[in-house]
Amino acid sequence: MSDNYDSGFDLVLSDDERKELTNYYYDKCLPEYRSDKEDDLWYGIQIGDRMFDLNVWLHDQTDEINCTVYECDWINDNWQTNCRRWWAI
């Protein structure tokens, strides 16, 4: 996998990317997740030349809905989720 930053750091996002990811979560992902009632769902969004996967899931112990954002890497002509770095909405 390729990273554009050294290990040990959280997912690096601009303020605009954070805003767009947060809006996408609240406007699309969260309403869909609530209506589907699945254990966890994955959503993808491309912002500029970066691709992100959002995993929406229910915490078993707290019953809170969580969203974890991962950047995807372009590998072998496909986007692949890179779980080494993440950001929680």
Side-chain angles (χ1 to χ4, degrees), residues 1-2 9 17 21-22 25-26 29 35 43 46 51 53 61 66-67 69 72-73 75 82 84 88:
M1 293 197 173
S2 64
F9 293 96
E17 288 169 332
L21 289 163
T22 301
Y25 167 68
Y26 283 109
C29 305
S35 69
Y43 301 87
Q46 188 162 357
M51 183 70 178
D53 279 343
Q61 296 173 348
N66 295 279
C67 180
V69 178
C72 299
D73 295 323
I75 300 173
N82 181 343
R84 293 178 57 205

Side-chain angles (χ1 to χ4, degrees), residues 49-83:
D49 61 349
R50 296 176 79 182
M51 183 70 178
F52 299 94
D53 279 343
L54 289 76
N55 180 219
V56 182
W57 51 281
L58 185 66
H59 192 283
D60 292 335
Q61 296 173 348
T62 64
D63 285 335
E64 291 180 6
I65 298 172
N66 295 279
C67 180
T68 309
V69 178
Y70 304 96
E71 186 169 7
C72 299
D73 295 323
W74 185 252
I75 300 173
N76 298 328
D77 295 328
N78 267 323
W79 289 110
Q80 295 183 15
T81 306
N82 181 343
C83 294

